[in-house]
Amino acid sequence: MEEELLKIKNDASTLIFEAEDTDELNKIKLSFLGKKGILTFAIKNLSKIPIERRPEIGKLANEIKNTLEILVEDKEKALNIQKETKIEKKHIDVTLPGIKPQLGHLHLVTQAIEEITAIFEKIGFERVRYPEAEWDWYGFTALNFPENHPARDEWETFFIDRKPHPKYGPMILTPHTSSGQIREMERRKPPIRMLNIAKCYRRQSDVSHTPMFHQMEGLVVNKNISINHLKGTLDYFARSYYGEERKARIRPYHFQFTEPSFEVDISCGVCKGKGCKLCKEGWLELGGAGMVHPNVLKNGGFDPKEYTGFAFGWGIERVLMMKEGIEIDDLRTLYSTNLDFLEQF
Ligand code: DAH
């Protein structure tokens, strides 16, 4: 009888210890300590043992009952804590293949920035970045925008709520990378070959605009820089980034900070410049460029009689979409956490 009781104690303790949840624990409790439980049954059978041994065995049986009750109680508490903290007891099967950590990759805009930078570095451009929170002077005034010029509205500028600088005017979130032109001219002497790629901000958010986007700004200043240098650089970029057979062309346009100013087009990769559904006339519009305006050179500290320069400024998102040949239904997806979309690139 004594042995039987000890075996019950052992079996019950092991099962209680290994119970995975409260349901299982309750079943174990019932099967040992319930009305029809194994231990209860054994205690009832005490009458069958010789009378002189009954007190001793009876005491042992009670002790076992108390111990098991305490074990059940403790286990119940432990299971509840586990449930609250969601720590699941898991058996580790060391023979299972490991779980591979998910590997991410650079965002497609970052990939494009790296590729574009490498292309321009090959011909001596230096990648720089200038402040995103910028003074009006660098963003507009020094770039030859007269005071009250509607461009400050056209560019949908964000103004920062702080006291204007006595010399540089209000503080803005830079709406274009052209602000880097003046900063670069202040920083160094010619020859300048700057590639400023940075975040820009404008108050617009719809399917084709995000309030934050990226621009790349080229600036070359030296003696005897002409439109030929600009055109050569544009063709070099078209070939290097879009493909050997692609060409660039320039069309007259207007910008405050360049004279003459141009719009830059890249020959269409689908129809090879013949005209198709995508491009209509064989060319896809990239963005602006021009010869640096004499006033801008002056504001940068250079004598326009001695130095000339060219500049260009394009949206990275546009440059990139033209390469991929993709039309993103809603440009804002680029800056969402939609992994189904982002993982494709
Ligand atoms: N800053 C202009 C914009 O955001 C783009 C631009 C046009 C930049 C002509 C230039 C340029 O450097 O020469 O629309």
Side-chain angles (χ1 to χ4, degrees):
M1 184 66 193
E2 203 176 341
E3 264 173 33
E4 196 185 319
L5 285 174
L6 290 174
K7 186 175 179 305
I8 291 172
K9 183 188 168 189
N10 273 343
D11 290 352
S13 324
T14 313
L15 287 171
I16 292 167
F17 181 73
E18 286 181 349
E20 300 227 314
D21 52 44
T22 40
D23 276 357
E24 196 185 334
L25 184 67
N26 283 336
K27 275 184 202 143
I28 296 163
K29 185 178 168 187
L30 214 66
S31 66
F32 284 93
L33 303 166
K35 267 189 195 160
K36 289 179 186 157
I38 299 167
L39 186 65
T40 321
F41 186 70
I43 292 171
K44 273 186 194 151
N45 277 349
L46 279 180
S47 56
K48 285 182 188 156
I49 58 169
I51 193 149
E52 67 279 6
R53 292 214 60 203
R54 269 184 222 165
E56 188 197 337
I57 301 289
K59 197 174 158 225
L60 177 69
N62 266 328
E63 273 170 15
I64 291 176
K65 188 170 173 255
N66 289 340
T67 308
L68 292 182
E69 274 168 0
I70 290 171
L71 284 180
V72 168
E73 225 173 88
D74 287 352
K75 182 70 186 183
E76 205 163 12
K77 277 185 206 152
L79 284 173
N80 283 337
I81 291 174
Q82 220 177 64
K83 206 168 154 191
E84 274 165 28
T85 53
K86 291 208 165 50
I87 300 168
E88 279 174 41
K89 189 177 151 220
K90 279 206 179 115
H91 298 282
I92 298 170
D93 180 350
V94 292
T95 63
L96 278 175
I99 302 165
K100 277 199 197 138
Q102 258 197 334
L103 270 190
H105 62 72
L106 294 176
H107 189 274
L108 71 159
V109 170
T110 312
Q111 290 177 39
I113 290 174
E114 292 199 343
E115 196 182 341
I116 292 164
T117 304
I119 289 172
F120 279 100
E121 276 175 353
K122 266 197 200 159
I123 54 168
F125 279 72
E126 188 192 343
R127 165 88 196 274
V128 296
R129 277 179 78 174
Y130 286 114
E132 288 168 27
E134 184 55 287
W135 299 110
D136 170 281
W137 166 258
Y138 291 100
F140 292 117
T141 308
L143 291 173
N144 201 36
F145 287 89
E147 196 114 351
N148 302 325
H149 189 280
R152 283 177 177 81
D153 292 337
E154 272 166 36
W155 259 249
E156 305 269 356
T157 309
F158 284 108
F159 285 84
I160 294 175
D161 189 10
R162 65 171 281 174
K163 235 172 83 188
H165 189 284
K167 198 166 142 206
Y168 299 133
M171 188 173 252
I172 56 176
L173 287 181
T174 195
H176 56 180
T177 43
S178 303
S179 52
Q181 292 191 19
I182 301 291
R183 290 215 172 250
E184 180 77 357
M185 289 191 255
E186 280 179 351
R187 188 174 75 97
R188 58 187 302 166
K189 291 192 164 54
I192 286 175
R193 274 180 236 131
M194 172 197 86
L195 182 68
N196 176 27
I197 307 185
K199 292 190 174 80
C200 301
Y201 302 84
R202 292 186 196 182
R203 291 180 49 227
Q204 43 193 12
S205 177
D206 56 45
V207 288
S208 51
H209 295 95
T210 51
M212 183 285 297
F213 57 101
H214 298 78
Q215 277 192 348
M216 53 188 280
E217 185 90 11
L219 175 71
V220 170
V221 180
N222 207 352
K223 290 187 174 153
N224 302 319
I225 295 292
S226 71
I227 295 179
N228 285 335
H229 295 110
L230 169 62
K231 184 63 178 34
T233 307
L234 297 176
D235 279 331
Y236 164 77
F237 177 69
R239 279 200 311 275
S240 313
Y241 188 68
Y242 291 106
E244 266 314 308
E245 75 293 350
R246 309 289 285 272
K247 284 195 229 42
R249 84 170 177 189
I250 49 178
R251 274 182 292 119
Y253 203 71
H254 170 79
F255 291 104
Q256 279 300 127
F257 36 94
T258 40
E259 185 58 40
S261 301
F262 310 104
E263 280 270 279
V264 181
D265 299 329
I266 302 288
S267 61
C268 176
V270 175
C271 62
K272 312 262 179 293
K274 289 193 195 86
C276 67
K277 263 193 210 154
L278 176 73
C279 63
K280 311 239 162 38
E281 289 173 1
W283 298 89
L284 295 160
E285 192 183 308
L286 191 60
M291 300 308 291
V292 183
H293 195 288
N295 288 350
V296 176
L297 286 169
K298 262 187 236 161
N299 289 333
F302 297 142
D303 179 356
K305 288 199 195 88
E306 198 180 345
Y307 292 107
T308 47
F310 69 78
F312 54 86
W314 312 318
I316 297 278
E317 288 80 354
R318 177 163 184 82
V319 169
L320 159 78
M321 278 172 22
M322 272 170 61
K323 167 151 182 171
E324 299 276 339
I326 47 172
E327 287 265 344
I328 298 174
D329 290 344
D330 186 342
L331 206 62
R332 292 169 292 193
T333 325
L334 275 178
Y335 300 111
S336 69
T337 48
N338 183 346
L339 291 184
D340 286 343
F341 170 76
L342 294 172
E343 276 171 354
Q344 297 173 57
F345 300 94

